[in-house]
Amino acid sequence: IWNIISFDELKTDYKNPIDLCNSLNPLVLPEYALQGFVAFCYLYYMQYLGIVIMAPLTAYHAYRYLRRPRMSVLGIYDPTAVMNGDEMDRNKKEGFIKLALYLINFFAGLLWMILAVSS
């Protein structure tokens, strides 16, 4: 959600690109690590639906991080490129897709927990 709000603030000129990148770049590695851990847990416990949901996102995160711009800080957002209209729209669309996948993952995990408790 933070990505979507931040890119909307950038689009409406409430935030400049440097502040946007300084606030989003420190969140990239923890997000990727947490998502990778959840994907590993699904793989370990053989939750096939979770694996199907998380495998493409894990692969995309690895692809995106390996193809990041070379900067002095860790992260994937470059202040000089983030203001580009196509880049901004792509990042916003990526945020909505990730939000949808995380919500599906959350509700599937909640369903699995309820089914495990009730049986």
Side-chain angles (χ1 to χ4, degrees):
I1 294 174
W2 184 254
N3 288 3
I4 298 167
I5 293 171
S6 295
F7 279 107
D8 188 52
E9 287 177 349
L10 179 67
K11 192 172 188 176
T12 57
D13 289 334
Y14 289 127
K15 194 178 260 191
N16 65 29
I18 295 172
D19 289 340
L20 173 95
C21 294
N22 286 340
S23 66
L24 289 181
N25 277 335
L27 301 175
V28 171
L29 286 180
E31 175 193 358
Y32 287 4
L34 185 62
Q35 192 271 327
F37 175 73
V38 170
F40 174 76
C41 287
Y42 282 148
L43 188 62
Y44 183 76
Y45 291 110
M46 301 308 277
Q47 294 290 334
Y48 298 114
L49 181 62
I51 294 169
V52 168
I53 293 170
M54 291 305 226
L57 188 59
T58 305
Y60 179 72
H61 280 167
Y63 169 79
R64 176 84 192 234
Y65 193 75
L66 292 175
R67 309 224 352 124
R68 73 185 189 279
R70 298 293 175 221
M71 300 177 296
S72 61
V73 295
L74 295 175
I76 59 173
Y77 301 108
D78 182 20
T80 58
V82 79
M83 204 53 189
N84 184 359
D86 295 335
E87 182 81 15
M88 192 182 322
D89 290 339
R90 186 179 66 79
N91 286 328
K92 229 173 148 179
K93 188 185 299 184
E94 175 187 320
F96 279 118
I97 291 170
K98 283 164 102 174
L99 178 63
L101 286 174
Y102 288 146
L103 283 174
I104 290 169
N105 182 33
F106 173 74
F107 286 114
L110 192 63
L111 175 68
W112 289 327
M113 184 183 68
I114 292 170
L115 290 174
V117 168
S118 67
S119 62

